[in-house]
PDB file of all heavy atoms in Angstrom:
ATOM      1  N   GLY A   1      -8.091  14.912  -1.956  1.00  0.00           N
ATOM      2  CA  GLY A   1      -7.028  14.738  -0.994  1.00  0.00           C
ATOM      3  C   GLY A   1      -7.525  14.219   0.336  1.00  0.00           C
ATOM      4  O   GLY A   1      -6.883  13.343   0.966  1.00  0.00           O
ATOM      5  N   SER A   2      -8.663  14.736   0.794  1.00  0.00           N
ATOM      6  CA  SER A   2      -9.196  14.302   2.089  1.00  0.00           C
ATOM      7  C   SER A   2      -9.638  12.814   2.010  1.00  0.00           C
ATOM      8  O   SER A   2      -9.351  12.041   2.944  1.00  0.00           O
ATOM      9  CB  SER A   2     -10.417  15.177   2.478  1.00  0.00           C
ATOM     10  OG  SER A   2      -9.961  16.507   2.782  1.00  0.00           O
ATOM     11  N   VAL A   3     -10.373  12.445   1.007  1.00  0.00           N
ATOM     12  CA  VAL A   3     -10.886  11.089   0.886  1.00  0.00           C
ATOM     13  C   VAL A   3      -9.725  10.101   0.697  1.00  0.00           C
ATOM     14  O   VAL A   3      -9.668   9.072   1.430  1.00  0.00           O
ATOM     15  CB  VAL A   3     -11.884  10.955  -0.277  1.00  0.00           C
ATOM     16  CG1 VAL A   3     -12.294   9.514  -0.479  1.00  0.00           C
ATOM     17  CG2 VAL A   3     -13.124  11.844   0.003  1.00  0.00           C
ATOM     18  N   GLY A   4      -8.831  10.372  -0.245  1.00  0.00           N
ATOM     19  CA  GLY A   4      -7.692   9.491  -0.449  1.00  0.00           C
ATOM     20  C   GLY A   4      -6.787   9.386   0.765  1.00  0.00           C
ATOM     21  O   GLY A   4      -6.308   8.278   1.102  1.00  0.00           O
ATOM     22  N   GLY A   5      -6.521  10.533   1.407  1.00  0.00           N
ATOM     23  CA  GLY A   5      -5.660  10.509   2.587  1.00  0.00           C
ATOM     24  C   GLY A   5      -6.309   9.763   3.725  1.00  0.00           C
ATOM     25  O   GLY A   5      -5.625   9.053   4.482  1.00  0.00           O
ATOM     26  N   ALA A   6      -7.629   9.941   3.955  1.00  0.00           N
ATOM     27  CA  ALA A   6      -8.315   9.239   5.022  1.00  0.00           C
ATOM     28  C   ALA A   6      -8.274   7.722   4.816  1.00  0.00           C
ATOM     29  O   ALA A   6      -7.990   6.987   5.758  1.00  0.00           O
ATOM     30  CB  ALA A   6      -9.763   9.732   5.115  1.00  0.00           C
ATOM     31  N   ILE A   7      -8.534   7.294   3.651  1.00  0.00           N
ATOM     32  CA  ILE A   7      -8.489   5.841   3.346  1.00  0.00           C
ATOM     33  C   ILE A   7      -7.095   5.260   3.658  1.00  0.00           C
ATOM     34  O   ILE A   7      -6.981   4.216   4.287  1.00  0.00           O
ATOM     35  CB  ILE A   7      -8.888   5.561   1.876  1.00  0.00           C
ATOM     36  CG1 ILE A   7     -10.391   5.902   1.671  1.00  0.00           C
ATOM     37  CG2 ILE A   7      -8.641   4.103   1.521  1.00  0.00           C
ATOM     38  CD1 ILE A   7     -10.817   5.831   0.214  1.00  0.00           C
ATOM     39  N   SER A   8      -6.053   5.988   3.208  1.00  0.00           N
ATOM     40  CA  SER A   8      -4.688   5.484   3.463  1.00  0.00           C
ATOM     41  C   SER A   8      -4.367   5.416   4.951  1.00  0.00           C
ATOM     42  O   SER A   8      -3.812   4.443   5.398  1.00  0.00           O
ATOM     43  CB  SER A   8      -3.702   6.437   2.743  1.00  0.00           C
ATOM     44  OG  SER A   8      -3.920   6.511   1.369  1.00  0.00           O
ATOM     45  N   MET A   9      -4.782   6.459   5.693  1.00  0.00           N
ATOM     46  CA  MET A   9      -4.504   6.474   7.135  1.00  0.00           C
ATOM     47  C   MET A   9      -5.300   5.385   7.869  1.00  0.00           C
ATOM     48  O   MET A   9      -4.782   4.757   8.792  1.00  0.00           O
ATOM     49  CB  MET A   9      -4.824   7.859   7.727  1.00  0.00           C
ATOM     50  CG  MET A   9      -3.787   8.909   7.422  1.00  0.00           C
ATOM     51  SD  MET A   9      -2.322   8.686   8.466  1.00  0.00           S
ATOM     52  CE  MET A   9      -1.434  10.211   8.169  1.00  0.00           C
ATOM     53  N   TYR A  10      -6.584   5.168   7.447  1.00  0.00           N
ATOM     54  CA  TYR A  10      -7.366   4.130   8.099  1.00  0.00           C
ATOM     55  C   TYR A  10      -6.744   2.743   7.904  1.00  0.00           C
ATOM     56  O   TYR A  10      -6.746   1.916   8.785  1.00  0.00           O
ATOM     57  CB  TYR A  10      -8.760   4.162   7.580  1.00  0.00           C
ATOM     58  CG  TYR A  10      -9.709   5.114   8.241  1.00  0.00           C
ATOM     59  CD1 TYR A  10     -10.468   5.985   7.517  1.00  0.00           C
ATOM     60  CD2 TYR A  10      -9.801   5.160   9.633  1.00  0.00           C
ATOM     61  CE1 TYR A  10     -11.362   6.885   8.115  1.00  0.00           C
ATOM     62  CE2 TYR A  10     -10.663   6.038  10.277  1.00  0.00           C
ATOM     63  CZ  TYR A  10     -11.421   6.926   9.507  1.00  0.00           C
ATOM     64  OH  TYR A  10     -12.254   7.805  10.135  1.00  0.00           O
ATOM     65  N   ILE A  11      -6.194   2.528   6.703  1.00  0.00           N
ATOM     66  CA  ILE A  11      -5.571   1.228   6.391  1.00  0.00           C
ATOM     67  C   ILE A  11      -4.314   1.010   7.273  1.00  0.00           C
ATOM     68  O   ILE A  11      -4.108  -0.061   7.870  1.00  0.00           O
ATOM     69  CB  ILE A  11      -5.218   1.109   4.906  1.00  0.00           C
ATOM     70  CG1 ILE A  11      -6.508   1.016   4.078  1.00  0.00           C
ATOM     71  CG2 ILE A  11      -4.330  -0.108   4.640  1.00  0.00           C
ATOM     72  CD1 ILE A  11      -6.307   1.031   2.604  1.00  0.00           C
ATOM     73  N   ILE A  12      -3.502   2.062   7.418  1.00  0.00           N
ATOM     74  CA  ILE A  12      -2.281   1.959   8.281  1.00  0.00           C
ATOM     75  C   ILE A  12      -2.706   1.718   9.707  1.00  0.00           C
ATOM     76  O   ILE A  12      -2.171   0.834  10.433  1.00  0.00           O
ATOM     77  CB  ILE A  12      -1.428   3.195   8.146  1.00  0.00           C
ATOM     78  CG1 ILE A  12      -0.941   3.415   6.695  1.00  0.00           C
ATOM     79  CG2 ILE A  12      -0.221   3.120   9.102  1.00  0.00           C
ATOM     80  CD1 ILE A  12      -0.274   4.737   6.447  1.00  0.00           C
ATOM     81  N   GLY A  13      -3.686   2.478  10.206  1.00  0.00           N
ATOM     82  CA  GLY A  13      -4.166   2.315  11.571  1.00  0.00           C
ATOM     83  C   GLY A  13      -4.748   0.933  11.830  1.00  0.00           C
ATOM     84  O   GLY A  13      -4.520   0.306  12.889  1.00  0.00           O
ATOM     85  N   GLY A  14      -5.481   0.419  10.814  1.00  0.00           N
ATOM     86  CA  GLY A  14      -6.039  -0.935  10.945  1.00  0.00           C
ATOM     87  C   GLY A  14      -4.983  -1.997  11.018  1.00  0.00           C
ATOM     88  O   GLY A  14      -5.060  -2.946  11.817  1.00  0.00           O
ATOM     89  N   TYR A  15      -3.900  -1.831  10.262  1.00  0.00           N
ATOM     90  CA  TYR A  15      -2.773  -2.772  10.272  1.00  0.00           C
ATOM     91  C   TYR A  15      -2.121  -2.785  11.646  1.00  0.00           C
ATOM     92  O   TYR A  15      -1.852  -3.833  12.218  1.00  0.00           O
ATOM     93  CB  TYR A  15      -1.799  -2.402   9.199  1.00  0.00           C
ATOM     94  CG  TYR A  15      -0.428  -3.037   9.335  1.00  0.00           C
ATOM     95  CD1 TYR A  15      -0.247  -4.435   9.203  1.00  0.00           C
ATOM     96  CD2 TYR A  15       0.690  -2.251   9.687  1.00  0.00           C
ATOM     97  CE1 TYR A  15       1.027  -4.965   9.340  1.00  0.00           C
ATOM     98  CE2 TYR A  15       1.954  -2.815   9.846  1.00  0.00           C
ATOM     99  CZ  TYR A  15       2.090  -4.170   9.673  1.00  0.00           C
ATOM    100  OH  TYR A  15       3.347  -4.726   9.850  1.00  0.00           O
ATOM    101  N   LEU A  16      -1.890  -1.580  12.208  1.00  0.00           N
ATOM    102  CA  LEU A  16      -1.237  -1.516  13.521  1.00  0.00           C
ATOM    103  C   LEU A  16      -2.190  -2.059  14.604  1.00  0.00           C
ATOM    104  O   LEU A  16      -1.746  -2.702  15.571  1.00  0.00           O
ATOM    105  CB  LEU A  16      -0.822  -0.049  13.807  1.00  0.00           C
ATOM    106  CG  LEU A  16       0.202   0.531  12.885  1.00  0.00           C
ATOM    107  CD1 LEU A  16       0.462   1.991  13.242  1.00  0.00           C
ATOM    108  CD2 LEU A  16       1.496  -0.223  12.895  1.00  0.00           C
ATOM    109  N   ALA A  17      -3.475  -1.757  14.490  1.00  0.00           N
ATOM    110  CA  ALA A  17      -4.443  -2.237  15.498  1.00  0.00           C
ATOM    111  C   ALA A  17      -4.586  -3.712  15.531  1.00  0.00           C
ATOM    112  O   ALA A  17      -4.904  -4.317  16.575  1.00  0.00           O
ATOM    113  CB  ALA A  17      -5.781  -1.564  15.279  1.00  0.00           C
ATOM    114  N   ALA A  18      -4.320  -4.358  14.349  1.00  0.00           N
ATOM    115  CA  ALA A  18      -4.467  -5.818  14.274  1.00  0.00           C
ATOM    116  C   ALA A  18      -3.381  -6.531  15.092  1.00  0.00           C
ATOM    117  O   ALA A  18      -3.540  -7.742  15.406  1.00  0.00           O
ATOM    118  CB  ALA A  18      -4.386  -6.290  12.855  1.00  0.00           C
ATOM    119  N   GLY A  19      -2.321  -5.830  15.424  1.00  0.00           N
ATOM    120  CA  GLY A  19      -1.275  -6.408  16.313  1.00  0.00           C
ATOM    121  C   GLY A  19      -0.298  -7.313  15.606  1.00  0.00           C
ATOM    122  O   GLY A  19       0.403  -8.087  16.252  1.00  0.00           O
ATOM    123  N   ASP A  20      -0.202  -7.233  14.277  1.00  0.00           N
ATOM    124  CA  ASP A  20       0.723  -8.082  13.549  1.00  0.00           C
ATOM    125  C   ASP A  20       2.145  -7.466  13.456  1.00  0.00           C
ATOM    126  O   ASP A  20       3.048  -8.064  12.856  1.00  0.00           O
ATOM    127  CB  ASP A  20       0.217  -8.314  12.130  1.00  0.00           C
ATOM    128  CG  ASP A  20      -1.101  -9.129  12.155  1.00  0.00           C
ATOM    129  OD1 ASP A  20      -1.309  -9.894  13.128  1.00  0.00           O
ATOM    130  OD2 ASP A  20      -1.923  -8.994  11.213  1.00  0.00           O
ATOM    131  N   VAL A  21       2.313  -6.265  13.953  1.00  0.00           N
ATOM    132  CA  VAL A  21       3.584  -5.628  13.875  1.00  0.00           C
ATOM    133  C   VAL A  21       4.530  -6.205  14.937  1.00  0.00           C
ATOM    134  O   VAL A  21       4.147  -6.381  16.071  1.00  0.00           O
ATOM    135  CB  VAL A  21       3.472  -4.088  14.092  1.00  0.00           C
ATOM    136  CG1 VAL A  21       4.803  -3.392  13.820  1.00  0.00           C
ATOM    137  CG2 VAL A  21       2.368  -3.542  13.221  1.00  0.00           C
ATOM    138  N   PRO A  22       5.811  -6.554  14.585  1.00  0.00           N
ATOM    139  CA  PRO A  22       6.709  -7.060  15.599  1.00  0.00           C
ATOM    140  C   PRO A  22       6.900  -6.108  16.735  1.00  0.00           C
ATOM    141  O   PRO A  22       6.830  -4.912  16.595  1.00  0.00           O
ATOM    142  CB  PRO A  22       8.023  -7.220  14.801  1.00  0.00           C
ATOM    143  CG  PRO A  22       7.635  -7.323  13.383  1.00  0.00           C
ATOM    144  CD  PRO A  22       6.407  -6.475  13.236  1.00  0.00           C
ATOM    145  N   ALA A  23       7.045  -6.666  17.932  1.00  0.00           N
ATOM    146  CA  ALA A  23       7.166  -5.847  19.183  1.00  0.00           C
ATOM    147  C   ALA A  23       8.381  -4.934  19.053  1.00  0.00           C
ATOM    148  O   ALA A  23       8.407  -3.822  19.582  1.00  0.00           O
ATOM    149  CB  ALA A  23       7.207  -6.717  20.396  1.00  0.00           C
ATOM    150  N   VAL A  24       9.450  -5.428  18.441  1.00  0.00           N
ATOM    151  CA  VAL A  24      10.668  -4.677  18.257  1.00  0.00           C
ATOM    152  C   VAL A  24      10.903  -4.525  16.714  1.00  0.00           C
ATOM    153  O   VAL A  24      10.882  -5.540  16.034  1.00  0.00           O
ATOM    154  CB  VAL A  24      11.888  -5.358  18.918  1.00  0.00           C
ATOM    155  CG1 VAL A  24      13.180  -4.556  18.646  1.00  0.00           C
ATOM    156  CG2 VAL A  24      11.635  -5.499  20.431  1.00  0.00           C
ATOM    157  N   ALA A  25      11.143  -3.278  16.290  1.00  0.00           N
ATOM    158  CA  ALA A  25      11.322  -3.093  14.889  1.00  0.00           C
ATOM    159  C   ALA A  25      12.550  -3.831  14.397  1.00  0.00           C
ATOM    160  O   ALA A  25      13.617  -3.809  15.046  1.00  0.00           O
ATOM    161  CB  ALA A  25      11.493  -1.583  14.596  1.00  0.00           C
ATOM    162  N   THR A  26      12.430  -4.460  13.262  1.00  0.00           N
ATOM    163  CA  THR A  26      13.538  -5.229  12.677  1.00  0.00           C
ATOM    164  C   THR A  26      13.904  -4.653  11.332  1.00  0.00           C
ATOM    165  O   THR A  26      13.277  -3.766  10.804  1.00  0.00           O
ATOM    166  CB  THR A  26      13.136  -6.697  12.524  1.00  0.00           C
ATOM    167  OG1 THR A  26      12.016  -6.788  11.626  1.00  0.00           O
ATOM    168  CG2 THR A  26      12.789  -7.307  13.871  1.00  0.00           C
ATOM    169  N   GLY A  27      14.969  -5.173  10.753  1.00  0.00           N
ATOM    170  CA  GLY A  27      15.409  -4.674   9.462  1.00  0.00           C
ATOM    171  C   GLY A  27      14.505  -5.065   8.326  1.00  0.00           C
ATOM    172  O   GLY A  27      14.422  -4.370   7.306  1.00  0.00           O
ATOM    173  N   ASP A  28      13.779  -6.207   8.460  1.00  0.00           N
ATOM    174  CA  ASP A  28      12.958  -6.691   7.372  1.00  0.00           C
ATOM    175  C   ASP A  28      11.480  -6.446   7.754  1.00  0.00           C
ATOM    176  O   ASP A  28      10.999  -6.967   8.772  1.00  0.00           O
ATOM    177  CB  ASP A  28      13.200  -8.183   7.146  1.00  0.00           C
ATOM    178  CG  ASP A  28      14.622  -8.424   6.633  1.00  0.00           C
ATOM    179  OD1 ASP A  28      15.137  -7.603   5.892  1.00  0.00           O
ATOM    180  OD2 ASP A  28      15.190  -9.434   7.063  1.00  0.00           O
ATOM    181  N   LEU A  29      10.751  -5.736   6.878  1.00  0.00           N
ATOM    182  CA  LEU A  29       9.331  -5.492   7.118  1.00  0.00           C
ATOM    183  C   LEU A  29       8.528  -6.728   6.693  1.00  0.00           C
ATOM    184  O   LEU A  29       8.798  -7.279   5.618  1.00  0.00           O
ATOM    185  CB  LEU A  29       8.869  -4.260   6.382  1.00  0.00           C
ATOM    186  CG  LEU A  29       9.245  -2.853   6.942  1.00  0.00           C
ATOM    187  CD1 LEU A  29       8.808  -1.779   6.013  1.00  0.00           C
ATOM    188  CD2 LEU A  29       8.639  -2.669   8.302  1.00  0.00           C
ATOM    189  N   PRO A  30       7.544  -7.155   7.480  1.00  0.00           N
ATOM    190  CA  PRO A  30       6.615  -8.197   6.982  1.00  0.00           C
ATOM    191  C   PRO A  30       5.795  -7.660   5.847  1.00  0.00           C
ATOM    192  O   PRO A  30       5.725  -6.417   5.596  1.00  0.00           O
ATOM    193  CB  PRO A  30       5.764  -8.474   8.222  1.00  0.00           C
ATOM    194  CG  PRO A  30       5.810  -7.241   9.045  1.00  0.00           C
ATOM    195  CD  PRO A  30       7.194  -6.642   8.807  1.00  0.00           C
ATOM    196  N   PRO A  31       5.075  -8.524   5.118  1.00  0.00           N
ATOM    197  CA  PRO A  31       4.237  -8.016   4.001  1.00  0.00           C
ATOM    198  C   PRO A  31       3.256  -6.938   4.427  1.00  0.00           C
ATOM    199  O   PRO A  31       3.042  -5.985   3.654  1.00  0.00           O
ATOM    200  CB  PRO A  31       3.476  -9.307   3.561  1.00  0.00           C
ATOM    201  CG  PRO A  31       4.421 -10.418   3.932  1.00  0.00           C
ATOM    202  CD  PRO A  31       5.085  -9.975   5.209  1.00  0.00           C
ATOM    203  N   GLY A  32       2.657  -7.085   5.620  1.00  0.00           N
ATOM    204  CA  GLY A  32       1.756  -6.031   6.076  1.00  0.00           C
ATOM    205  C   GLY A  32       2.451  -4.691   6.270  1.00  0.00           C
ATOM    206  O   GLY A  32       1.917  -3.659   6.005  1.00  0.00           O
ATOM    207  N   GLY A  33       3.727  -4.748   6.733  1.00  0.00           N
ATOM    208  CA  GLY A  33       4.474  -3.539   6.951  1.00  0.00           C
ATOM    209  C   GLY A  33       4.788  -2.857   5.606  1.00  0.00           C
ATOM    210  O   GLY A  33       4.766  -1.639   5.503  1.00  0.00           O
ATOM    211  N   ILE A  34       5.110  -3.671   4.605  1.00  0.00           N
ATOM    212  CA  ILE A  34       5.384  -3.141   3.286  1.00  0.00           C
ATOM    213  C   ILE A  34       4.142  -2.444   2.698  1.00  0.00           C
ATOM    214  O   ILE A  34       4.224  -1.379   2.120  1.00  0.00           O
ATOM    215  CB  ILE A  34       5.890  -4.266   2.325  1.00  0.00           C
ATOM    216  CG1 ILE A  34       7.210  -4.752   2.793  1.00  0.00           C
ATOM    217  CG2 ILE A  34       5.972  -3.730   0.890  1.00  0.00           C
ATOM    218  CD1 ILE A  34       7.712  -6.009   2.024  1.00  0.00           C
ATOM    219  N   ALA A  35       2.990  -3.127   2.913  1.00  0.00           N
ATOM    220  CA  ALA A  35       1.709  -2.490   2.450  1.00  0.00           C
ATOM    221  C   ALA A  35       1.481  -1.205   3.194  1.00  0.00           C
ATOM    222  O   ALA A  35       1.017  -0.184   2.643  1.00  0.00           O
ATOM    223  CB  ALA A  35       0.574  -3.483   2.658  1.00  0.00           C
ATOM    224  N   ALA A  36       1.772  -1.156   4.520  1.00  0.00           N
ATOM    225  CA  ALA A  36       1.574   0.064   5.301  1.00  0.00           C
ATOM    226  C   ALA A  36       2.489   1.198   4.771  1.00  0.00           C
ATOM    227  O   ALA A  36       2.077   2.339   4.687  1.00  0.00           O
ATOM    228  CB  ALA A  36       1.856  -0.206   6.766  1.00  0.00           C
TER     229      ALA A  36
END
């Protein structure tokens, strides 16, 4: 649980840190958002 949970959280944090998330949340998630 720790290893799998850590990998999942690191991936989400990396996606958000990359800055590809729209400044304002919209109804349609980009591919990166769907992966997150």
Side-chain angles (χ1 to χ4, degrees):
S2 292
V3 173
I7 292 172
S8 300
M9 284 284 191
Y10 275 131
I11 291 174
I12 298 172
Y15 163 69
L16 296 178
D20 295 333
V21 187
V24 178
T26 60
D28 297 322
L29 284 174
I34 295 173

